[in-house]
Amino acid sequence: MTSPDLYFIKQQFTLGAYPALLSISLPDDSSPDYIPTLLYKVRAHLALGDDTAALALLPTDTENIVLRAAAALARGEQGLETLRDLCVEIEADEDSEEWEKETVQVLAATAFIRAGEIEEALETLRGEGKIGDEPAALLSQVYLSLARPALAQKVLAPALKANPDALVLQLAESAISLVTGSQGTSGEPYAPALSFYSEQVANPSISSAALLVGRAVVRILRGELSPAQSDLEEAESILTRAKCEQGSSDMLVAMVVAAGLSAKKGEADQLWSRLLKQHPSHPLVADIGAKELLFDECASKFEVPPRAVAVA
């Protein structure tokens, strides 16, 4: 049974309240909550892109398979082979708990996704037999990234039926709603996503910029630009107070879009400059850069015809 403290930590991680999670002290190393709490703090650093800080938290001589998997993920491509071995090792370990096996699956699949090994990530998450909550949630996100929302829903549906209160599954369901524009029972576009984010934002025990950015994206898609910008301003305030610049990339992207759609060109240009400076490797930056190069290449091949001259 999960302790109240560990439940709260898991909730913070799932809902993207990484700075708040990192401020939580570790329990005594003799506590049954020690390893799971340490793991969530390490994963929070990894989610924020701070692999060095994640490695610094981990003991170098640990025999714990899950902590070894987290260290391998933090090492990037150098850790891929280790993660493959750990997936095999933990499947053969009859003493490993189910949450440990699922966590190793998720950590390994995350590393494969980062390395562009999508098929290997899919195979890792599918596993054999019943798919756990977190692997099912991540698997659905992979299918969404491949523009296969029907498969994402197919993976998620049985997991949600078995455990409808799981936050990680509700979050994944909201992502599907964002992609498909599903209306739910209310008949309004993106209703399931808006309902989830609004409910979680209202939780006084959670202060998450990620939730506010998620709701802002829903509101942008619904054409509610002013409320969306309010959510983004609040998200920026949370990240500023936490001195957490790593978590601001998606927020800045949403700000650029909201400002552009609001016809605030000057503001949109300033925000775009911030994004280029702070997050030059963001997928949107890379995509726009590639399109600019393609345009320049096509333009260089185009010969401007001479100006037509009127003949009397």
Side-chain angles (χ1 to χ4, degrees), residues 62-111:
T62 182
E63 293 296 321
N64 184 280
I65 294 180
V66 184
L67 295 184
R68 286 158 57 198
L73 173 57
R75 288 195 292 270
E77 293 195 11
Q78 295 178 346
L80 292 181
E81 198 57 44
T82 299
L83 283 163
R84 293 185 181 102
D85 292 341
L86 291 175
C87 285
V88 174
E89 182 180 338
I90 200 164
E91 280 298 323
D93 186 357
E94 296 180 356
D95 295 329
S96 293
E97 296 183 34
E98 198 60 35
W99 75 266
E100 293 176 309
K101 293 181 180 181
E102 292 177 8
T103 303
V104 170
Q105 275 185 309
V106 168
L107 293 174
T110 300

Side-chain angles (χ1 to χ4, degrees), residues 6 9-10 35 56 58 60 68 73 76 79 93 142 168 182 186 191 227 241 244 250 253 261 266 272 278 283 290:
L6 189 57
I9 289 168
K10 181 179 180 180
I35 293 296
L58 290 163
T60 57
R68 286 158 57 198
L73 173 57
D93 186 357
V142 177
V168 70
S182 62
S186 71
R241 289 197 303 271
C244 183
D250 291 339
V253 169
L261 291 174
W272 179 252
Q278 296 176 15

Side-chain angles (χ1 to χ4, degrees), residues 9-183:
I9 289 168
K10 181 179 180 180
Q11 181 187 47
Q12 296 271 340
F13 177 79
T14 301
L15 298 178
Y18 305 126
L21 194 162
L22 292 174
S23 69
I24 296 173
S25 299
L26 283 169
D28 186 86
D29 58 11
S30 63
S31 167
D33 286 352
Y34 175 76
I35 293 296
T37 302
L38 173 60
L39 182 64
Y40 278 121
K41 288 174 74 74
V42 168
R43 293 180 69 185
H45 279 302
L46 292 171
L48 291 171
D50 196 344
D51 296 348
T52 301
L55 280 171
L57 274 178
L58 290 163
T60 57
D61 58 348
T62 182
E63 293 296 321
N64 184 280
I65 294 180
V66 184
L67 295 184
R68 286 158 57 198
L73 173 57
R75 288 195 292 270
E77 293 195 11
Q78 295 178 346
L80 292 181
E81 198 57 44
T82 299
L83 283 163
R84 293 185 181 102
D85 292 341
L86 291 175
C87 285
V88 174
E89 182 180 338
I90 200 164
E91 280 298 323
D93 186 357
E94 296 180 356
D95 295 329
S96 293
E97 296 183 34
E98 198 60 35
W99 75 266
E100 293 176 309
K101 293 181 180 181
E102 292 177 8
T103 303
V104 170
Q105 275 185 309
V106 168
L107 293 174
T110 300
F112 299 145
I113 293 166
R114 286 184 174 186
E117 303 288 345
I118 303 301
E119 188 57 42
E120 189 166 11
L122 290 172
E123 290 299 321
T124 301
L125 292 167
R126 289 183 189 124
E128 297 180 4
K130 177 180 175 291
I131 302 176
D133 289 349
E134 196 172 358
L138 181 55
L139 183 55
S140 74
Q141 302 313 292
V142 177
Y143 281 132
L144 285 183
S145 74
L146 298 173
R148 303 294 298 275
L151 278 178
Q153 184 62 60
K154 183 178 179 180
V155 165
L156 206 59
L160 268 170
K161 184 177 180 180
N163 193 4
D165 295 328
L167 280 177
V168 70
L169 298 178
Q170 293 176 11
L171 184 62
E173 184 182 39
S174 296
I176 295 174
S177 172
L178 281 174
V179 170
T180 62
S182 62
Q183 299 178 348

Side-chain angles (χ1 to χ4, degrees), residues 165-238:
D165 295 328
L167 280 177
V168 70
L169 298 178
Q170 293 176 11
L171 184 62
E173 184 182 39
S174 296
I176 295 174
S177 172
L178 281 174
V179 170
T180 62
S182 62
Q183 299 178 348
T185 56
S186 71
E188 296 186 12
Y190 309 102
L194 182 61
S195 175
F196 173 79
Y197 284 116
S198 294
E199 180 182 351
Q200 300 307 321
V201 166
N203 185 339
S205 65
I206 298 291
S207 177
S208 170
L211 286 175
L212 287 160
V213 172
R215 186 168 70 175
V217 171
V218 179
R219 286 173 160 172
I220 289 171
L221 290 168
R222 288 164 58 97
E224 301 166 1
L225 298 180
S226 181
Q229 288 172 319
S230 295
D231 279 344
L232 293 169
E233 289 170 5
E234 187 176 348
E236 185 173 33
S237 176
I238 291 173

